[in-house]
Amino acid sequence: MHREPETDSVAFDFRELGERERYKLMIGTIVPRPIALVTTVDPQGRVNAAPFSFFNCLSADPPIVALGVENHADMSFKDTALNIRLTEVFTVNIVSHAIAEGMHLCAADFPPGADEVAASGFTAVPGVKVASPWIKEAPAAFECRRHLTLELGKSRQIILGEIVYAHYRSDVVDTERLRIDPARLDAIARLGGSTCATIRDRFDMPTPSFAEWSSRPGQSEDIG
């Protein structure tokens, strides 16, 4: 850590920090992070479910989502990464506040082959376009095919998936305007440590045009 008295701040050289130290700073700062409850199947058809907060959308054309999946301590693949590697498909279930407790149980260290979906009280519904099921209780779910996997050293993979089919609870989406009701989606997000947050406290902030900004008193003088 380096103190910067002239700016009343502290700084960290990430090259001098250990993996765990970098992890703690990043997950506590890059917030809120959406949570993907990912369902996969192994080649024997056994269902696995696991939550990941290293998750987001990266592109709409093609429609790409990304998962950051860490390997086990011995560098072997977690069930999610192994199943995606073997089957090329997975499903991202969006986690609402109503299913948060079940999602959290899916993070427990179940033995390989255990059915986390059933243990968590969820209902697995067969996928339409992919072999992995989606969770009926989720407000939305994306069926995905693996697009690309990036190996980041020995410890982590970034899995890019192309959305090929989407499921929504009928009250969540306006099917005419394709607008999602955030209150009915009621998604939760991950903060640092074990802390999560809801999206119930919201505000609108439209982006102004340059003409609107420059018409404000005194603004035109600032840009010469």
Side-chain angles (χ1 to χ4, degrees), residues 27-175:
I27 67 166
T29 307
I30 304 171
V31 294
R33 298 185 308 282
I35 301 173
L37 180 56
V38 180
T39 42
T40 58
V41 291
D42 67 13
Q44 289 73 45
R46 295 175 297 187
V47 177
N48 177 266
F52 296 89
S53 67
F54 282 28
F55 157 68
N56 220 309
C57 59
L58 298 186
S59 168
D61 186 19
I64 299 293
V65 294
L67 300 175
V69 184
E70 189 176 22
N71 294 336
H72 290 298
D74 64 358
M75 297 304 148
S76 63
F77 293 136
K78 290 186 176 178
D79 288 343
T80 297
L82 180 61
N83 290 347
I84 293 173
R85 182 169 291 247
L86 294 175
T87 67
E88 298 281 320
V89 298
F90 62 96
T91 299
V92 168
N93 301 275
I94 301 302
V95 179
S96 65
H97 189 265
I99 68 169
E101 190 170 329
M103 173 277 297
H104 193 54
L105 181 57
C106 288
D109 57 345
F110 285 89
D115 190 342
E116 293 92 349
V117 174
S120 301
F122 294 143
T123 307
V125 181
V128 175
K129 299 294 185 180
V130 304
S132 58
W134 57 285
I135 292 175
K136 179 181 178 182
E137 291 77 11
F142 297 128
E143 296 185 16
C144 303
R145 295 191 185 278
R146 189 185 70 84
H147 178 75
L148 179 69
T149 299
L150 303 174
E151 304 285 350
L152 299 185
K154 296 184 296 183
S155 65
R156 184 173 290 274
Q157 302 175 63
I158 304 299
I159 301 171
L160 305 184
E162 180 179 0
I163 301 170
V164 296
Y165 205 80
H167 305 268
Y168 289 92
R169 199 174 64 226
S170 60
D171 63 333
V172 167
V173 60
D174 180 334
T175 56

Side-chain angles (χ1 to χ4, degrees), residues 170-213:
S170 60
D171 63 333
V172 167
V173 60
D174 180 334
T175 56
E176 296 296 323
R177 303 168 66 197
L178 298 184
R179 295 283 182 86
I180 305 301
D181 185 333
R184 294 188 180 279
L185 187 71
D186 200 20
I188 66 168
R190 188 74 182 268
L191 305 181
S194 298
T195 306
C196 295
T198 69
I199 58 168
R200 295 177 180 180
D201 186 15
R202 300 181 294 272
F203 61 93
D204 292 330
M205 190 168 60
T207 302
S209 66
F210 175 74
E212 290 170 332
W213 176 84

